């Protein structure tokens, strides 16, 4: 896959540190896409479509996890994964000896596993870091003549909105990716980053309903936050299906291929 990089964005800067170059991000995108292709091939050997098995609700989480691990791998040791599943942020900043020593003090090792001593040290992590989230956007309500795209079908031609979700309105330093199915496999088609998100970029927190409904609280990024993220585009796949549509005023606002 060929991608267009934002020439005005050389580094991903968070907590006052230049953590990643745009080339690092591009390498992470390629690595994540390759991993998803491999996962698809390996499970197909057993007549399993793992993406069907997960369903759309879980696929974005999987894409985000794969991309997050790829970003960590390509960070040159400047980022470590959050050891608590509900911790914040996803990738922890350990770009100095002091920060790394502090991180190592927060867990014990048994075999090849790291066991955190408690959650509070990881939510939030003292030195911050980068949050990673993925979305595939939303499509119009299905009708008899226009059904919803099936899992594995390219969908961006009819995507009418996209956003990212968080458990609180303080989420910042967000590396957000947009993905779609290409040749039946989830593929990252665009990446965005902002280090200046505020609570005003997120909607009110929706709490779980008593007796059922949502299992966790969630805040959905509003249109202003999405526009802000899009202005911080890092990479877009070099395909007119995406470059043309993302040029909409409510998104990037320019055709990045020109």
């Amino acid at each position: 896959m060929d991608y267009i990089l934002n020439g005005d964005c050389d580094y991903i800067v968070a907590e006052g540190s230049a953590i990643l170059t745009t080339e690092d991000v591009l390498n992470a995108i390629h690595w994540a896409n390759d991993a998803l292709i491999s996962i698809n091939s390996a499970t197909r050997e057993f007549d399993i479509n793992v993406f069907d098995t997960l369903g759309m609700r879980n696929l974005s989480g999987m894409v985000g996890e794969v991309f997050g691990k790829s970003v960590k791998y390509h960070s040159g040791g400047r980022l470590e994964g959050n050891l608590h599943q509900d911790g914040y942020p996803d990738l922890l900043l350990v770009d100095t000896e002091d920060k790394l020593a502090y991180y190592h003090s927060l867990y014990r090792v048994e075999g090849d596993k790291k066991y955190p001593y408690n959650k509070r040290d990881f939510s939030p992590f003292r030195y911050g870091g980068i949050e990673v989230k993925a979305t595939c956007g939303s499509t119009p309500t299905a009708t008899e003549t226009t059904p919803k795209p099936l899992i594995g079908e390219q969908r961006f031609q009819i995507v009418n909105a996209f956003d990212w979700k968080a458990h609180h309105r303080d989420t910042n330093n967000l590396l957000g990716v947009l993905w779609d199915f290409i040749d039946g496999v989830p593929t990252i088609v665009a990446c965005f980053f902002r280090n200046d998100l505020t609570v005003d970029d997120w909607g009110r927190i929706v709490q779980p309903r008593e007796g059922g409904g949502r299992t966790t609280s969630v805040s959905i990024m509003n249109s202003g936050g999405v526009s802000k993220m899009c202005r911080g585009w890092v990479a877009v796949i070099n395909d007119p299906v995406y470059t043309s549509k993302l040029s909409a005023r409510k998104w990037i606002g320019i055709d990045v291929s020109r």
Side-chain angles (χ1 to χ4, degrees):
M1 299 290 181
D2 181 30
Y3 289 81
I4 300 165
L5 292 179
N6 187 345
D8 294 327
C9 174
D10 295 323
Y11 295 95
I12 299 300
V13 178
E15 313 296 349
S17 296
I19 302 174
L20 302 161
T21 67
T22 50
E23 286 292 336
D24 292 331
V25 176
L26 180 60
N27 289 334
I29 290 172
H30 284 307
W31 192 90
N33 287 341
D34 288 346
L36 290 164
I37 290 171
S38 295
I39 289 169
N40 180 56
S41 298
T43 53
R44 291 275 186 175
E45 289 182 12
F46 297 92
D47 198 25
I48 298 169
N49 184 330
V50 67
F51 307 132
D52 263 334
T53 301
L54 286 169
M56 288 300 290
R57 290 185 181 180
N58 296 316
L59 261 177
S60 275
M62 178 182 179
V63 172
E65 284 291 324
V66 171
F67 180 62
K69 290 188 182 302
S70 181
V71 171
K72 171 185 172 293
Y73 178 79
H74 288 90
S75 73
R78 293 181 291 276
L79 295 168
E80 285 286 353
N82 197 309
L83 298 183
H84 198 286
Q85 62 179 2
D86 297 322
Y88 175 82
D90 296 316
L91 298 175
L92 312 181
L93 185 58
V94 292
D95 60 330
T96 67
E97 290 184 7
D98 287 347
K99 293 174 187 176
L100 186 59
Y102 173 71
Y103 168 75
H104 288 322
S105 74
L106 302 180
Y107 63 87
R108 59 185 173 83
V109 178
E110 290 187 14
D112 60 350
K113 295 185 181 297
K114 299 174 181 177
Y115 293 87
Y117 292 123
N118 57 65
K119 176 185 176 180
R120 69 174 179 271
D121 292 324
F122 291 93
S123 188
F125 180 65
R126 177 184 294 178
Y127 298 108
I130 292 178
E131 187 79 348
V132 178
K133 295 189 180 297
T135 182
C136 62
S138 57
T139 57
T141 303
T143 66
E144 289 185 7
T145 56
T146 310
K148 284 277 191 181
L150 298 177
I151 291 177
E153 293 182 338
Q154 192 174 28
R155 52 190 278 125
F156 201 67
Q157 293 95 329
I158 61 170
V159 163
N160 55 11
F162 62 87
D163 52 50
W164 293 273
K165 298 175 177 62
H167 295 302
H168 52 78
R169 300 177 69 195
D170 297 317
T171 299
N172 190 23
N173 296 321
L174 177 58
L175 198 57
V177 293
L178 177 66
W179 64 271
D180 194 7
F181 290 103
I182 296 181
D183 296 329
V185 179
T187 303
I188 294 169
V189 298
C191 181
F192 313 89
F193 178 78
R194 294 300 292 207
N195 60 9
D196 59 352
L197 297 176
T198 70
V199 293
D200 293 330
D201 295 316
W202 298 92
R204 68 179 183 86
I205 295 175
V206 179
Q207 301 289 350
R209 294 198 306 268
E210 245 184 81
R214 297 182 186 273
T215 57
T216 59
S217 60
V218 64
S219 173
I220 301 173
M221 183 178 283
N222 59 38
S223 59
V226 172
S227 294
K228 185 186 283 188
M229 286 290 292
C230 285
R231 291 195 299 272
W233 71 278
V234 179
V236 176
I237 196 167
N238 192 6
D239 183 322
V241 169
Y242 303 97
T243 56
S244 176
K245 192 157 186 178
L246 283 170
S247 68
R249 187 174 179 181
K250 65 179 179 178
W251 292 331
I252 294 177
I254 59 169
D255 186 342
V256 303
S257 67
R258 295 179 179 174

